Amino acid sequence: MTTTRRWGRHSPLTTMILRRLLAGAAMALVVSALIFAGVQLLPGNAATAILGQTATPAAVKALNLQLGLDQPAWHRYLSWLGGMLHGDFGRSFTSRQSIAPVLAYRLENSLFLAGCSAVVAVPLALLIGFLSVRFQGGWLDRLLNLFTRVAVSLPEFFSGYLLILIFSITLFWLPSNSSVSDGMPLGARLNAVALPGLTLVLAVLGHMSNMTRAALIAAQNAAYVDTALLKGLSPSAILLRHVLPNAWGPIINVIVLNLAYLMVGVVIVENVFVYPGVGQYMVDSISKRDMPVIQSCALALAAIYILLNLLADVVALIANPRLRHARR
């Protein structure tokens, strides 16, 4: 009887998590179809892009046969999807090399850039949100709100070029070209990703800090805060010991969602700073009409985005105490 009750108590949360996982798998399948269809709608022909405009019709036809472009679209999609499920990302049309090792290297670089940005952005957003609530209505709160709103309004490419102008062209502090290589020392790698990392920090800092502030203010209106004030606790102690623990759920959810956005933002930032990540790999392949590379890069970014959104949902479910108990 005890075992049955324990299982029943945990089953609502387990069921919700399984539903989110199934929804994520279905979403990934839909996204793969949309990516494939979108790539097929790109103007031009891959064989013509590879051979050049002066290629003869016979040469174009032969290359189409070699690349499998003569097959129906549905056949090519199922073949591509089946290969992806088995870990086979195919071969590049232009280099004829396997996509998997190149994509793995580029993805590692992108994750390193996004990780460095998150290490700076998350604590800074929490600090800004905490200070805004602690001095709510004061000059510091207004100044921080102005800074975060400006950060939110700046697109990544504009803030990236602005940082290059300040720190590379004017001050000569940091390189504008963020090239990295295997075996590069950690210090040199961090120096190379400083500007693109700062650009990504500005892209997510405003939203994370504003949502942190909103979550803390909502939790601050609870009755236990008045009780803590009557006990003589300081406002800072109340925020840290009582308000923040009760606001962790929505705060963590916002943080994870913004980490997912970081993986989307790297596409623009990597091209601004010529950083060898997935984003630059995909954009370079678009100009060459290299369809397998475009599809693989887009699906890899989409899968990471879906996984992080699933993680945000699961964290929100776990942080909600009502979901830990079965309905009676």
Side-chain angles (χ1 to χ4, degrees), residues 228-245:
L229 286 172
L230 292 175
K231 290 181 179 180
L233 293 178
S234 65
S236 298
I238 293 173
L239 278 175
L240 286 173
R241 294 167 54 183
H242 298 282
V243 177
L244 185 59

Side-chain angles (χ1 to χ4, degrees), residues 158-305:
F158 179 81
S159 57
Y161 287 124
L162 184 62
L163 292 175
I164 290 176
L165 176 63
I166 296 173
F167 293 102
S168 297
I169 299 176
T170 305
L171 299 176
F172 300 102
W173 287 358
L174 296 169
S176 60
N177 191 323
S178 301
S179 298
V180 295
S181 59
D182 291 332
M184 196 174 187
L186 180 60
R189 183 179 287 264
L190 291 175
N191 184 68
V193 302
L195 284 185
L198 183 56
T199 304
L200 288 174
V201 168
L202 291 176
V204 299
L205 182 62
H207 184 250
M208 277 199 296
S209 57
N210 287 334
M211 295 304 295
T212 300
R213 181 180 184 274
L216 290 175
I217 290 176
Q220 197 176 29
N221 295 327
Y224 59 82
V225 175
D226 296 331
T227 304
L229 286 172
L230 292 175
K231 290 181 179 180
L233 293 178
S234 65
S236 298
I238 293 173
L239 278 175
L240 286 173
R241 294 167 54 183
H242 298 282
V243 177
L244 185 59
N246 288 279
W248 269 125
I251 290 175
I252 294 176
N253 191 36
V254 169
I255 289 174
V256 177
L257 288 175
N258 277 274
L259 294 182
Y261 178 78
L262 278 178
M263 292 307 300
V264 179
V266 295
V267 176
I268 299 174
V269 173
E270 286 176 0
N271 282 275
V272 171
F273 293 94
V274 199
Y275 183 75
V278 177
Q280 191 194 38
Y281 188 35
M282 182 171 64
V283 172
D284 290 344
S285 300
I286 291 175
S287 62
K288 300 174 183 176
R289 203 63 163 69
D290 200 337
M291 293 188 293
V293 176
I294 301 171
Q295 293 167 180
S296 299
C297 292
L299 189 59
L301 292 175
I304 294 174
Y305 188 84

Side-chain angles (χ1 to χ4, degrees), residues 67-119:
L67 300 177
L69 297 177
D70 59 315
Q71 300 292 330
W74 63 268
H75 184 275
R76 285 184 279 122
Y77 169 70
L78 293 178
S79 177
W80 170 64
L81 186 62
M84 294 288 290
L85 293 176
H86 291 87
D88 182 11
F89 290 84
R91 291 184 173 274
S92 168
F93 280 174
T94 54
S95 67
R96 304 305 298 161
Q97 295 179 348
S98 178
I99 297 173
V102 181
L103 181 60
Y105 171 73
R106 296 292 190 116
L107 185 59
E108 181 183 352
N109 288 340
S110 294
L111 291 175
F112 178 79
L113 175 58
C116 292
S117 304
V119 167

